[in-house]
Each structure stands twice: as structure tokens, then as C-alpha cells.
Amino acid sequence: MSQTATARLTSPCERIADNDLSPLDAISEAQRIAFAPIVFQAVGSMLDFGVLAFLNEQDEGATPEEVANKCGISAYAANLLLEMGTVGRILLHENGRFYLGRAGKFLLGNTMTVANFDFVRDVCYSGMEKLTEALKTGQPAGLRVFGNWPTIYPALSQLPEPAKTSWFAFDHFYSDAAFGAALKPVFELRPRLLYDIGGNTGKWALRCVAHDPNVRVAVLDLPPQVALLEKNLIGKPGADRIRGIGVDMLGDAPLPEGEADIWWMSQFLDCFSEEQVVSILSKIRTAMKPGAKVCILEPFCDRQTYPAGEFSLVAGSLYFTALANGNSRFYRSDAFTHLLTKAGLRIESETNKLGVGEHTLLVC
């Protein structure tokens, strides 16, 4: 055999192909992708009509006629949705009766899946049609479905329902789950004043003042978000130790200097491009007093235990492209560490797998 033939047999492409799907699995997966938007919308209809909820209560399953009568839809609609649910591996079918499968149970009642589904349906779905344009231009072209804003962030308090509720439910689900686990390592640093950058409605700030009766928190965010924060703080315990500061972290105005013990950012820097991340961190480094720390809580794609976690973050990155700002993403840990170094920061410690989204806490 010639050397050329030997090289051809052991080429990288052929070695990779050995780990690829079989031809039958590959064509099946291709068809699932081609029709995935239809499956998604069918699940939405089954949730709207209460089909999944009804089947969840039927230990002996239900016929299409029973589903139609209970859910108030035609026999035609019931049959189509049940068939789609079955081939979509959401439902099970046996002897003319339909049952809710495991995937269906997660779609119906798993809080993480519900948050993800509603976020994609109410916030992302229509705008994702403009993904190609967004990738070409670096602008969130899909945001036009909601209004004429440069990014989604100043629009959050003005998003129409149900997009507004679903956006905050998605954001808070992942951050809330990590906040409890992050409190201990953060307050081991004994902060007296903490700057919460991009604090949204103040959930982390409220957790901080509840955890430590002596700590004060300043939330630095865009002015519309500060207005939303102040409204949300009314009547909350510890609100007298929380104040809002309207600031654009990408603007030219300097940050308040020489005060904070901790500069905290949770799921904040994934909202910016690499160049913007370096710029923001550099501004913070310049404003930090001696001995202050930067604490960053982020979910990294490559720090996820399960493939579904990595898949969700990589897919979620395209939301940033199409709707949020056109140029950011959920980062991989090595790429993010490089940005920290460029900004002149050094990681002192890191804690992984915090919360459902398996966040990483970096203390710099």
C-alpha cells in the first residue's frame, strides 16, 4: 500500500467520522432538526390546552376523545397533537391510549425546563428568525420584534408580557439557585460595602443584607433598572441598607472610587463582548481600593457536569446574538480567564458547581 493510501486511511476526518452518528441515526437526527420548530410549537399548544396536565393525572392513560372533551379542543386537534407528542418522544402510546412520558413530565413540571421553555417561547422564538442578520452585523436584529432599542437591557422594564415575566423568571431561576451557595465564600471576605454591578431587581442585594446585618450594598445599573430596583425594594427588610446608582458601565463616566470592599458581578459579564469585558474590568480595577476583591459568578460552558448543561449554555449564547446585544455569549472558562488577565486581574480562588446552572465563583 502506498504512503498516500495509508495517510488517506488515517486522516483526521476519517478518525472523526468513526465517532460520528451512524448513517441511519444521522438522517433521523437531521429530520428532527428540520422539524424541531414545529415540535416546539406543538408542545406549546399542548401546554396551552392543558393536554400535558390532563395526561399527567391519568394513570391509565386517555383516548383522543377523552383528551378532546377534557381540554375543550376538536378531535382533529387532539389527534394531531397526540401523534406529534408521541413521535416527538413526549408521550407514550399503547392500545389506543396515550400517556405522559418522562420528557413530557419535565416539560410540564420541572422548574428549570419550564423557565427555559417559556424564555425561548416568549422572548427568543420570533427574534431568532433574524439570527443570520445578527451574526453578519453584530447587532441584535431580532430585538426589533419588541421595539427599537440598541440592546435589550434598557428595555427590560418595558418588554411586553409575557416576554417580561419570562425573561426575569429565566434570569432569576439560575441566579437564585447559585446565590445561596455563593453567600458563604463571599462573606468570608467580611465586606462592609459591596457594589452589585448589574443588580437588576436587587435579589442579590436583598440576600446580602439578610445574611449580614452590617453590610451595605450599592447596586450599579442602568438608570431604568435602578428605577425598577427602587420600586422592588419598597417595604423589603434591609432595604434601608441598599441604594441604587445609575451608571452605564460602557460609558465614559468614572466609577465611584475607594469605597467598596467587593465588586460583585453575577451573570453580568456574559452580557458583553470580549473587548467590552476587558474594558469594564479595567475600569473596575482602576477604581478599586487596596485590598478590595472582584467576585464574579458565571456559568461556564466547559464547567458543566452534564451535556444538557453545556448544550443549554451554547444555545443560550445565540439569544445574546439575536436579541440581547449582538456580540456577547456564555464564555468558556479558559477564554474568560484570558480576559481577566488582559484587564490586569488575577484569580485568587474559584469555587465550581454552584446552583442548578453550575456557576463558578471567581474571586480576583
Side-chain angles (χ1 to χ4, degrees), residues 63-216:
T63 65
E65 293 76 16
E66 291 169 340
V67 170
N69 291 333
K70 180 64 178 180
C71 298
I73 57 178
S74 67
Y76 166 82
N79 274 287
L80 285 177
L81 291 176
L82 292 170
E83 289 175 12
M84 186 74 260
T86 302
V87 299
R89 298 185 287 191
I90 299 155
L91 307 179
L92 302 173
H93 179 228
E94 186 175 63
N95 298 326
R97 303 187 73 81
F98 291 84
Y99 304 80
L100 191 64
R102 289 174 179 167
K105 289 182 181 293
F106 279 112
L107 285 162
L108 180 64
N110 176 259
T111 51
M112 176 174 65
T113 307
V114 170
N116 289 344
F117 188 92
D118 290 347
F119 175 72
V120 172
R121 188 185 193 192
D122 300 331
V123 179
C124 302
Y125 198 92
S126 296
M128 288 303 294
E129 182 181 348
K130 301 298 183 181
L131 177 60
T132 298
E133 180 182 345
L135 289 166
K136 284 182 177 179
T137 63
Q139 301 296 319
L143 185 57
R144 292 198 297 266
V145 302
F146 295 121
N148 187 27
W149 293 286
T151 70
I152 201 170
Y153 306 112
L156 291 177
S157 62
Q158 305 171 61
L159 287 178
E161 294 292 358
K164 179 179 175 180
T165 295
S166 294
W167 192 97
F168 281 105
F170 175 83
D171 181 73
H172 290 164
F173 172 80
Y174 287 100
S175 60
D176 289 359
F179 282 170
L183 280 170
K184 184 176 183 292
V186 168
F187 277 87
E188 285 177 348
L189 301 172
R190 301 185 182 280
R192 295 280 63 88
L193 175 62
L194 183 147
Y195 279 173
D196 179 5
I197 301 176
N200 268 331
T201 58
K203 284 208 165 190
W204 169 252
L206 288 167
R207 294 291 290 270
C208 289
V209 296
H211 182 82
D212 186 331
N214 298 310
V215 75
R216 293 176 297 117

Side-chain angles (χ1 to χ4, degrees), residues 185-265:
V186 168
F187 277 87
E188 285 177 348
L189 301 172
R190 301 185 182 280
R192 295 280 63 88
L193 175 62
L194 183 147
Y195 279 173
D196 179 5
I197 301 176
N200 268 331
T201 58
K203 284 208 165 190
W204 169 252
L206 288 167
R207 294 291 290 270
C208 289
V209 296
H211 182 82
D212 186 331
N214 298 310
V215 75
R216 293 176 297 117
V217 180
V219 177
L220 282 63
D221 212 326
L222 295 169
Q225 285 304 112
V226 170
L228 193 64
L229 163 77
E230 292 171 345
K231 181 179 178 181
N232 189 57
L233 291 178
I234 296 174
K236 300 289 177 62
D240 58 317
R241 288 182 282 128
I242 303 172
R243 64 188 175 103
I245 301 175
V247 62
D248 181 356
M249 295 299 293
L250 297 179
D252 296 328
L255 301 178
E257 295 185 16
E259 297 184 24
D261 303 297
I262 287 179
W263 297 70
W264 164 269
M265 287 165 280

